Amino acid sequence: MSDVTDRQNYSLRDEIKAYWSERAATFDLSPGHEIFSEDERAAWHRLLLRHLGPGSGRSALDLASGTGVISHLLDDLGFKVQGLDWAEPMLERAREKARKRGRSIRFGLGDAENTMEPDDHYDVLVNRHLVWTLVDPAAAFAEWLRVLKPGGTLLIVDGDFVNSSALERLFSKLSAWGQRLGVFRSETPSGSSQMMATHRSILSRVHFSEGARAEAVVDLLRRAGFVDIKVDTDLGEIHRAQARNWNVFKGLARQSQHRYAIRAAKP
């Protein structure tokens, strides 16, 4: 952690923003972040269609859009997409990616917990791997309800990155053992040890420091006023496609995690 995080009044939210700003440079190099195969892209399309239906020109807000991975998937399906992120380096890469691919996706600077977007504005709101980082998820969910149109749909893709099963721990140890012995390709880029330590520090202090379990997220969504909430843990097709870019044990560890999609509606 740099000395800037030691300054007075440097909050946890500032740390989170700084962390993702630094991660921007290598974000798209990691399987599980960017799409690495057409099989994975198709699997994501099927997940989004299952919960959102075809875009048909409907408006979609991609919160914590990062380099625009989910925004591009939504654009593929015919949504009119607005990406929102509070890390400028992420936005720079998202805009450049959209330019190179000839996409008309808009990307803007904004806070997922206080979007500054109009009331009743979006048909669909989507985020991936955002909920676990929220400092105040109750406030965030109320905000997301506000910007959705009546009858609009929220889709959260996330997971519990704190608690692990015995099986996941075994697979992770075998993966690390293989990398140390040179049996598997090393997956630790230069300088990532400090980043991993920062990640762990942040994770220990956010609201879901004990793990973003689906049932806990659902409870907060219901309290915020969302209805027709459905938890989907059938993400195996996506995980199997991603696993082809990892060694076999890391792929099995990913598939052993508590990951989910949650769909909810605004009344």
Side-chain angles (χ1 to χ4, degrees):
M1 190 179 299
S2 67
D3 60 353
V4 72
T5 61
D6 295 326
R7 295 176 188 169
Q8 190 175 7
N9 298 325
Y10 194 87
S11 69
L12 174 58
R13 289 166 58 80
D14 292 322
E15 285 188 53
I16 295 169
K17 183 176 181 178
Y19 172 80
W20 289 112
S21 294
E22 189 171 348
R23 285 290 305 275
T26 57
F27 187 85
D28 282 346
L29 300 179
S30 301
H33 290 171
E34 180 57 284
I35 307 297
F36 277 72
S37 70
E38 290 308 309
D39 285 346
E40 183 184 355
R41 190 181 312 280
W44 275 107
H45 285 161
R46 282 188 280 272
L47 175 73
L48 294 172
L49 286 168
R50 186 158 76 234
H51 292 291
L52 304 176
S56 303
R58 289 183 295 151
S59 57
L61 178 62
D62 178 14
L63 277 179
S65 52
T67 63
V69 177
I70 299 300
S71 293
H72 281 260
L73 293 170
L74 292 167
D75 186 68
D76 291 343
L77 299 177
F79 286 94
K80 183 180 179 182
V81 185
Q82 170 71 60
L84 203 67
D85 204 284
W86 66 354
E88 282 282 14
M90 288 286 192
L91 291 170
E92 290 171 7
R93 285 160 177 79
R95 290 168 182 146
E96 179 64 10
K97 187 188 296 185
R99 186 192 66 77
K100 286 182 176 179
R101 295 180 181 178
R103 304 298 183 98
S104 59
I105 305 168
R106 296 175 300 156
F107 292 99
L109 183 67
D111 180 354
E113 294 186 18
N114 183 24
T115 66
M116 305 298 288
E117 294 291 312
D119 294 352
D120 305 325
H121 191 67
Y122 290 98
D123 295 291
V124 163
L125 192 156
V126 180
N127 57 75
R128 179 184 67 163
H129 301 168
L130 165 63
V131 167
W132 75 265
T133 73
L134 294 173
V135 176
D136 188 350
F141 296 169
E143 172 73 353
W144 302 353
L145 190 76
R146 180 186 68 78
V147 302
L148 276 172
K149 294 177 181 178
T153 303
L154 166 68
L155 182 64
I156 292 170
V157 180
D158 224 288
D160 178 358
F161 307 125
V162 176
N163 302 290
S164 57
S165 66
L167 196 58
E168 181 190 344
R169 291 192 295 273
L170 173 62
F171 289 143
S172 294
K173 287 179 180 178
L174 289 171
S175 173
W177 174 80
Q179 289 179 62
R180 285 196 301 271
L181 292 184
V183 177
F184 303 133
R185 176 177 56 84
S186 175
E187 296 171 359
T188 305
S190 175
S192 69
S193 296
Q194 183 175 349
M195 292 297 291
M196 289 172 64
T198 301
H199 181 280
R200 288 192 296 270
S201 174
I202 290 170
L203 185 53
S204 71
R205 290 174 289 145
V206 293
H207 177 88
F208 290 113
S209 60
E210 296 182 4
R213 305 295 294 181
E215 56 271 21
V217 176
V218 167
D219 181 59
L220 286 175
L221 288 170
R222 190 172 287 116
R223 293 186 193 184
F226 283 95
V227 297
D228 300 331
I229 303 172
K230 176 181 174 57
V231 178
D232 182 359
T233 57
D234 184 16
L235 307 186
E237 185 181 16
I238 293 171
H239 296 156
R240 286 191 293 274
Q242 292 171 343
R244 294 174 193 143
N245 300 286
W246 294 313
N247 68 65
V248 63
F249 293 119
K250 182 167 182 177
L252 289 170
R254 168 61 66 96
Q255 294 178 59
S256 302
Q257 292 176 328
H258 176 64
R259 291 175 178 256
Y260 49 80
I262 299 176
R263 184 185 70 218
K266 178 173 179 173

